[in-house]
Amino acid sequence: MDKHLNKTSIAKWAYTNLTAYLLVSPAIILLVVFHLYPMGMTFFLSLTDWNLITPDFNWIFAGNYSRMFTSSEFWSVVGNTFIFSIFSVGFTVLLATVLAVVLDEKLRGVRLFRSVVFLPYITPMAAIGTLWVWMYNQNFGLINWVLDFFSIPPAPWLAKPGWAMAALIITKVWKVVGYYMVILLAGKQNIADSLYEAAKMDGAGRLQLFTRITLPLLSPYIFFVLIVALIGSFEDFDLLFTMTRGGPAESTNMIIYYIYQHAFEFFDIGYASAASSVLFVILMLITFIQMKVSKRWVHYQ
Amino acid sequence: MKRTFIKSVIMASSLVMLLAGCGQGASSSITSQQSNKQGPVQIEFWYGNSGVIGDTIKDLTEQFNQSQDEVKVNAVFQESTNNIGKKLLTAIVGNAVPDVVQLNARFWPSFAYNKALLPLDPYIQKDPEFNYSDFVDSFVDNTLIEGKTYTLPFNRSTPILYYNKDIVKEIGLDSEHPVSTWDEMMTAAKKATVIKDGKTERFGYASLLPPLYYYSLMWSNGGDILSPDQKDVVIDQAPAIQGLEMYRKMIYDDKTMMQPLGGNRDGDQEMINFQNGKVAFLLASTGDLNQIQNNVKFKLGVDFVPKFKEYAVPSTSGGNLAIVAKAPKEKQDAAWKFIKFLTDKQQTIYFAQHTGYMPIRKSAVKAPEMVKFYKENPFFKITVDQLPYGKGIPVVPNFEKIETEIQNALGKTYAENVPAQESMKEAADKIRELLKE
């Protein structure tokens, strides 16, 4: 082919390619300016002790990292982040799957239920946080009042370390479950009815239908939901900011809030950048592992 | 294929640089045009209060603009006083600074230590009209670093004790002056608490979480945060922890104090429960006076913060005014005229009467208008009477981190019933490390 190239075809080739690059250039520029450049800068800053205000800075290379890895606080923050992520994502995926299957049935008022479950997702986190802080109030809150109605002793929501974490997880699941339910519902509706009919003819029960047909065919969707929810749970700032500010006694402090504290309250930009870089690596690793592991259980049709 | 790709990357990047360059060029040409122009010097002023306080600040700015024609101030609202610090940081990095800012005690020292604020001493010394010694002493403490003035006090407040007069009468105390010591408060809180079937229906006492509200207890007992030379921590010594130990007993043994919580807006829960009659005594800021007064349905009382040995209250909450070091000289001079106006006697009186913040000048406190105002609004007077007992928090680099450690220690005792000695010891050790940095 190459031998037959002449001037006009080169011009044509250049024309189409350049046009293509020109067309994607807005996206590339945005990507460079708002993603790649800040990412590079963050890593660069993580090697310095700069606080952004002073005109000069020192290279301290791994200094921020070694300070971070030897700080017990950092590790407890990482631990909190993982506890929050695992439980909130676990319950979200579980509940979203159940809801998707149930709300796919032809029930009366099913549309209304779908909207109700979805509603919290479109409400701003700050509003939800404010609201739930009041519902969780240990002495005068709605939740303990309801518990009391069923003769369950009141719980110190938000006031005691373990309980505060549970309270955050519950609120988070309540907020996002509707969104993931919609994705899984779409997945469920993509499964051909003929499969179920065939299985029923062979005498499969409800449970078998669910474990043998619904779950495997829903697995790509569940996989997508897992990754997105996990990354989302690591970056949950507004929930913490409005509900606990990392308290009580630092028991709900997580990486993203820790970064904020160091950057914008202590002006310790270098250290905060180092923590951001670590968060980035953690998220990369999680996604990578999920991709690898997923091959074993995700079935594409 | 590859080559065109590289080419387009270069093209794209040069385009980015071009755009960035354009932006810079444009902005600098605008500023130079502005300074060459005849007419008033335009300066930008950042403030962070909303509501009545914000309106009063805008009002005063307008009064300044109309009082002369050399300087024109643009007052820009920045969402909250805590946000201004963050925004100023980005503004300094981006080289687009305001000229005057209102900064609170959490932030101004960090900026001053990093030379981002202009020292005001040359102006103070050269300006004969500016009577520096007229400022209330306890407010001046929190404007200095190593003897240099970086800020002027502006809107300042202290904690005060709010109480529900109906409940106080019910438990048989003097409704004008129910308690003056913490011991009396503990007893009063016991009487005021209502527990039914093991459930607390009314708390005797509540305080806000931020350490600011705790310092008063520390100081009034002879304790402190740092040693006088600011080289060591003393928050874990006996006088400093007695108050926290008392709080722990009130929360866990007597069950008379509501556990202070952080989150959304520090103090919302405590404040609203007080307004609903579910708390008898509340330690909160004078800055909340307007809100609380407007929302209670019972007879409100206000008094000094109780004492152990001697009254003591922090005088550092609220904000100061600062001039940004990166602003051009001409604008800094204009900014000085503006902050001189804002902190002058007449404006101080106006501001105090409209907001509930304290007058920052001695002459304003004594002025007949103010005396008359206090007669009509006795609650506002409590704050001023408390002034002689005002004390500033230490001005050291890293104070924000130090305060976070103190807050964690308080939180630990409040949330987990950890003895005050233990939680404060842990915080003191961490702070000792910070002081070494």
Side-chain angles (χ1 to χ4, degrees):
Chain A
M1 268 282 277
D2 279 0
K3 280 176 195 164
H4 304 289
L5 276 179
N6 55 32
K7 266 197 173 166
T8 49
S9 68
I10 289 176
K12 205 176 162 192
W13 177 86
Y15 176 77
T16 45
N17 276 278
L18 283 179
T19 315
Y21 283 119
L22 199 67
L23 288 174
V24 294
S25 65
I28 291 179
I29 291 171
L30 288 178
L31 193 74
V32 170
V33 174
F34 293 107
H35 288 269
L36 296 180
Y37 173 72
M39 251 163 67
M41 260 321 255
T42 304
F43 182 69
F44 163 78
L45 286 175
S46 77
L47 305 176
T48 72
D49 67 352
W50 200 24
N51 62 8
L52 292 184
I53 316 174
T54 46
D56 42 39
F57 58 83
N58 298 315
W59 287 101
I60 54 168
F61 302 104
N64 285 322
Y65 291 94
S66 67
R67 191 178 125 207
M68 191 161 62
F69 293 141
T70 53
S71 131
S72 60
E73 237 158 340
F74 175 73
W75 290 113
S76 82
V77 163
V78 170
N80 289 339
T81 313
F82 272 93
I83 290 173
F84 176 77
S85 294
I86 290 167
F87 282 98
S88 71
V89 172
F91 285 124
T92 303
V93 172
L94 212 71
L95 207 62
T97 314
V98 172
L99 280 171
V101 172
V102 171
L103 294 183
D104 192 35
E105 301 289 320
K106 287 174 184 64
L107 302 166
R108 269 178 82 96
V110 76
R111 275 160 182 266
L112 179 74
F113 277 115
R114 285 181 199 163
S115 323
V116 167
V117 174
F118 192 71
L119 212 56
Y121 183 72
I122 51 170
T123 313
M125 195 67 232
I128 287 179
T130 310
L131 194 81
W132 280 76
V133 165
W134 281 102
M135 301 215 299
Y136 278 131
N137 187 302
Q138 188 178 347
N139 304 292
F140 313 115
L142 179 71
I143 294 178
N144 278 353
W145 184 81
V146 171
L147 290 181
D148 188 57
F149 187 78
F150 294 104
S151 312
I152 301 167
W157 305 105
L158 298 181
K160 292 264 181 297
W163 286 97
M165 183 57 93
L168 287 186
I169 292 168
I170 292 172
T171 312
K172 171 75 183 184
V173 172
W174 178 79
K175 171 158 165 72
V176 297
V177 77
Y179 172 69
Y180 297 115
M181 185 266 301
V182 167
I183 295 174
L184 294 177
L185 190 63
K188 173 79 173 41
Q189 287 173 345
N190 265 343
I191 302 172
D193 281 340
S194 57
L195 291 173
Y196 288 106
E197 280 157 21
K200 272 183 205 156
M201 296 264 266
D202 292 340
R206 272 186 162 262
L207 188 71
Q208 272 177 315
L209 288 182
F210 179 72
T211 54
R212 297 290 165 86
I213 298 177
T214 312
L215 265 191
L217 291 177
L218 214 51
S219 61
Y221 297 90
I222 294 180
F223 174 60
F224 169 78
V225 164
L226 259 183
I227 293 188
V228 176
L230 204 59
I231 292 174
S233 75
F234 268 83
E235 295 175 340
D236 223 322
F237 177 78
D238 24 11
L239 180 74
L240 273 181
F241 191 77
T242 49
M243 290 189 71
T244 64
R245 300 251 165 111
E250 291 290 275
S251 61
T252 58
N253 200 351
M254 297 177 212
I255 302 180
I256 194 83
Y257 191 70
Y258 188 73
I259 292 170
Y260 164 82
Q261 267 187 319
H262 281 268
F264 299 111
E265 283 187 350
F266 307 153
F267 293 167
D268 206 345
I269 302 290
Y271 188 77
S273 301
S276 303
S277 306
V278 168
L279 178 62
F280 175 75
V281 171
I282 292 177
L283 289 179
M284 282 270 283
L285 278 177
I286 289 176
T287 314
F288 180 74
I289 292 169
Q290 277 186 323
M291 290 287 201
K292 284 275 164 210
V293 174
S294 72
K295 284 192 183 128
R296 297 206 190 140
W297 61 273
V298 175
H299 306 271
Y300 294 93
Q301 242 168 331
Chain B
M1 175 75 185
K2 257 192 184 153
R3 272 174 119 192
T4 34
F5 177 72
I6 292 166
K7 251 193 212 161
S8 35
V9 167
I10 293 170
M11 256 170 65
S13 50
S14 52
L15 196 67
V16 170
M17 279 179 217
L18 205 71
L19 284 172
C22 274
Q24 263 174 10
S27 65
S28 60
S29 71
I30 284 171
T31 43
S32 65
Q33 256 175 23
Q34 255 177 1
S35 51
N36 287 337
K37 227 181 7 188
Q38 294 293 316
V41 183
Q42 303 251 353
I43 59 170
E44 196 170 305
F45 164 48
W46 284 8
Y47 69 100
N49 293 103
S50 53
V52 184
I53 305 161
D55 290 341
T56 314
I57 293 175
K58 271 189 285 182
D59 219 21
L60 284 171
T61 309
E62 210 34 58
Q63 288 179 23
F64 174 71
N65 285 339
Q66 272 157 19
S67 71
Q68 41 74 51
D69 50 13
E70 289 166 1
V71 182
K72 186 168 183 308
V73 182
N74 287 315
V76 183
F77 176 56
Q78 296 293 358
E79 290 164 49
S80 82
T81 40
N82 275 336
N83 244 348
I84 291 191
K86 288 151 211 169
K87 291 223 171 162
L88 183 60
L89 180 68
T90 14
I92 289 173
V93 179
N95 262 327
V97 289
D99 306 289
V100 189
V101 272
Q102 178 200 22
L103 284 174
N104 64 19
R106 295 160 67 96
F107 291 114
W108 80 259
S110 314
F111 285 107
Y113 275 111
N114 288 302
K115 308 216 173 343
L117 302 182
L118 187 75
L120 303 174
D121 307 272
Y123 288 112
I124 294 173
Q125 282 150 18
K126 266 188 266 162
D127 202 325
E129 297 163 35
F130 186 78
N131 185 2
Y132 187 58
S133 59
D134 188 32
F135 279 101
V136 174
D137 299 317
S138 59
F139 292 153
V140 173
D141 286 348
N142 189 251
T143 60
L144 306 167
I145 288 179
E146 287 150 11
K148 268 190 183 171
T149 311
Y150 284 93
T151 56
L152 289 181
F154 177 50
N155 57 322
R156 287 294 197 82
S157 57
T158 66
I160 47 173
L161 183 71
Y162 293 86
Y163 60 92
N164 184 323
K165 276 192 180 169
D166 298 350
I167 301 177
V168 164
K169 256 185 212 152
E170 183 194 312
I171 59 172
L173 291 176
D174 173 16
S175 66
E176 287 315 309
H177 187 62
V179 290
S180 54
T181 67
W182 284 111
D183 283 341
E184 287 169 20
M185 172 56 93
M186 254 182 118
T187 324
K190 264 186 210 160
K191 286 189 199 154
T193 302
V194 178
I195 300 177
K196 235 187 215 165
D197 310 327
K199 265 185 67 195
T200 307
E201 296 200 331
R202 188 171 83 193
F203 283 99
Y205 176 76
S207 164
L208 272 53
L209 176 68
L212 189 77
Y213 296 94
Y214 179 66
Y215 296 154
S216 169
L217 281 83
M218 210 177 233
W219 289 331
S220 95
N221 199 30
D224 211 336
I225 306 165
L226 301 180
S227 60
D229 63 358
Q230 306 200 327
K231 297 234 164 69
D232 199 16
V233 207
V234 293
I235 49 162
D236 54 344
Q237 290 182 4
I241 58 165
Q242 197 189 332
L244 184 58
E245 194 54 23
M246 179 191 76
Y247 274 0
R248 190 190 63 75
K249 280 191 193 128
M250 286 172 81
I251 297 171
Y252 288 97
D253 302 348
D254 302 353
K255 303 194 184 346
T256 55
M257 177 177 171
M258 201 179 153
Q259 181 191 327
L261 283 177
N264 194 27
R265 259 200 53 205
D266 289 322
D268 260 12
Q269 299 243 323
E270 289 82 3
M271 227 139 75
I272 293 174
N273 283 324
F274 174 75
Q275 287 163 14
N276 292 337
K278 288 179 171 164
V279 171
F281 292 89
L282 172 76
L283 192 63
S285 165
T286 44
D288 302 318
L289 188 51
N290 260 326
Q291 195 206 325
I292 292 180
Q293 219 167 359
N294 293 338
N295 287 302
V296 294
K297 285 162 207 85
F298 50 82
K299 274 196 142 176
L300 181 69
V302 170
D303 205 350
F304 276 30
V305 179
K307 63 179 174 181
F308 281 111
K309 292 184 183 133
E310 181 92 31
Y311 287 118
V313 283
S315 57
T316 45
S317 58
N320 291 354
L321 295 171
I323 299 178
V324 179
K326 263 194 180 178
K329 175 82 173 82
E330 187 196 23
K331 295 197 176 207
Q332 290 176 343
D333 293 347
W336 170 254
K337 285 180 192 151
F338 177 55
I339 65 174
K340 195 172 93 180
F341 174 86
L342 280 186
T343 56
D344 208 10
K345 181 182 159 193
Q346 228 37 53
Q347 283 63 254
T348 292
I349 293 173
Y350 186 86
F351 191 68
Q353 294 193 349
H354 282 78
T355 60
Y357 278 104
M358 293 181 285
I360 44 171
R361 280 186 177 262
K362 294 171 195 161
S363 59
V365 179
K366 290 190 207 112
E369 308 93 297
M370 234 31 226
V371 174
K372 184 166 169 275
F373 177 76
Y374 286 135
K375 223 173 227 164
E376 289 158 6
N377 302 278
F379 290 164
F380 286 93
K381 188 165 186 296
I382 291 289
T383 334
V384 182
D385 290 343
Q386 230 184 199
L387 263 187
Y389 308 102
K391 197 170 149 65
I393 54 172
V395 181
V396 289
N398 268 338
F399 191 73
E400 189 65 31
K401 280 187 194 169
I402 293 176
E403 192 154 76
T404 305
E405 293 302 343
I406 298 175
Q407 175 150 344
N408 287 344
L410 296 175
K412 228 175 212 167
T413 296
Y414 297 155
E416 298 178 85
N417 200 3
V418 175
Q421 174 67 53
E422 205 177 297
S423 59
M424 278 301 185
K425 172 85 178 54
E426 205 186 310
D429 288 342
K430 283 186 184 156
I431 294 169
R432 224 158 262 140
E433 289 300 308
L434 289 174
L435 288 174
K436 275 186 212 151
E437 272 178 25

